[in-house]
Amino acid sequence: MKILMVCLGNICRSPLAEGIMKTKLPSGFFVDSAGTISMHEGEHPDKRAIKTAANHGIDISKQRSRPITRKDFENFDLIYCMDIDIYGDVVSKTHSEEERQKVFLFLEAAGNHENAEVPDPYWGDMNDFEDVYQLLDNACNIIRNQIVI
Ligand code: 4NP
């Protein structure tokens, strides 16, 4: 089972989601992340995301930002998007119903239908990063229970 976490820049939200999800899944699962823009391609995650993950014992410092590619729609089974704009953008890149059915709004898939967006902490402070961490950690627990038999 291959899971792709997607946000805008692939330096804040999806690297955290990747790092958290990896700690919760047994072997046989593969988790990666990508962005919808290539502006930060090749960069490590935002220092605040690295610090927030480190505060919870998770090392995301070696990740590198990359944009989502056409191949991702073939390679991955589940593609989780961090907000509604990202979801729309990713769905618009699909080429078939089969591909479209792999794409989910992450928090909605985790049962949060009212407020299904992971807020972008990029313009915020460390408290915003910690809030995002907690949102992602809860959602990862729920998704893990859905996909691990
Ligand atoms: P992310 O956050 O999508 O969670 O990685 C952002 C990263 C970069 C920018 C915006 C959001 N940016 O405008 O460069």
Side-chain angles (χ1 to χ4, degrees):
M1 177 76 77
K2 293 183 178 177
I3 298 159
L4 185 66
M5 303 293 192
V6 186
C7 64
L8 185 68
N10 191 212
I11 56 168
C12 298
R13 293 166 292 178
S14 61
L16 279 168
E18 174 189 336
I20 295 166
M21 201 62 176
K22 276 179 171 164
T23 69
K24 298 185 188 292
L25 294 174
S27 61
F29 286 84
F30 175 77
V31 188
D32 195 10
S33 64
T36 54
I37 59 171
S38 55
M39 184 177 163
H40 297 279
E41 187 166 6
E43 292 177 19
H44 292 292
D46 186 286
K47 284 191 169 56
R48 298 163 297 175
I50 292 174
K51 178 77 170 75
T52 300
N55 288 343
H56 295 275
I58 300 175
D59 180 11
I60 63 166
S61 67
K62 290 173 192 67
Q63 291 184 32
R64 299 267 190 182
S65 172
R66 70 167 182 90
I68 190 167
T69 66
R70 179 97 286 284
K71 262 202 154 44
D72 290 325
F73 292 96
E74 296 161 22
N75 289 345
F76 287 88
D77 303 294
L78 296 165
I79 301 174
Y80 290 118
C81 303
M82 296 296 127
D83 67 35
I84 290 164
D85 284 349
I86 302 296
Y87 176 81
D89 211 1
V90 172
V91 164
S92 77
K93 294 177 195 291
T94 60
H95 283 187
S96 66
E97 182 58 20
E98 188 190 349
E99 288 181 1
R100 203 195 59 75
Q101 285 181 2
K102 296 177 174 183
V103 185
F104 299 89
L105 195 49
F106 187 52
L107 295 187
E108 192 171 71
N112 194 338
H113 299 280
E114 298 270 296
N115 197 356
E117 299 201 275
V118 180
D120 190 346
Y122 186 67
W123 307 105
D125 59 21
M126 281 300 285
N127 288 324
D128 298 305
F129 275 83
E130 178 60 24
D131 289 349
V132 163
Y133 183 94
Q134 294 300 334
L135 258 182
L136 292 172
D137 190 53
N138 280 327
C140 283
N141 283 333
I142 293 163
I143 300 288
R144 186 236 2 240
N145 291 339
Q146 290 172 1
I147 64 180
V148 179
I149 300 148

